[in-house]
Amino acid sequence: MKKDVQHELSIIFKLLGSERRLAILALLRDKPCSVSEIVDQLSMEQSAVSHQLQMLREAQVVTVEKVGRSVYYQLNDSHILTLLNNAEHHVDHVLRQMSHEEAVAGKQAESQEKHQ
């Protein structure tokens, strides 16, 4: 992997490491939203939402579209959507696997207790 690509990826993954930013991106996955819509949906302070959106804009994760006097934020492109979806699928897989492994371990422990 090239150094410049590696650097840009580290920036994106650091941004995705924030639950607040992930919540914002989850909203934007469905449709463009204004700051006030994000504030209402996530019960965050307007200044906090604006700060998080600015960070996402600087990393080119989201873009801005002005419609009249309103400003709407949206995911920059389908790559961001794919990245979010793949990350979510991975977490679902890990959680299912952990649940399965825990269930198997529990059954093995029960079986061992019965044979003692």
Side-chain angles (χ1 to χ4, degrees), residues 52-91:
Q52 301 301 330
L53 287 168
Q54 181 62 32
M55 293 176 75
L56 293 167
R57 276 184 67 194
E58 288 172 1
Q60 298 179 18
V61 174
V62 299
T63 59
V64 177
E65 182 180 348
K66 293 183 180 184
V67 179
R69 294 175 58 180
S70 299
V71 177
Y72 291 90
Y73 289 84
Q74 59 195 11
L75 296 179
N76 188 17
D77 58 33
S78 64
H79 297 112
I80 299 300
L81 180 60
T82 300
L83 182 62
L84 289 171
N85 289 340
N86 285 338
E88 186 175 18
H89 291 310
H90 173 71
V91 169

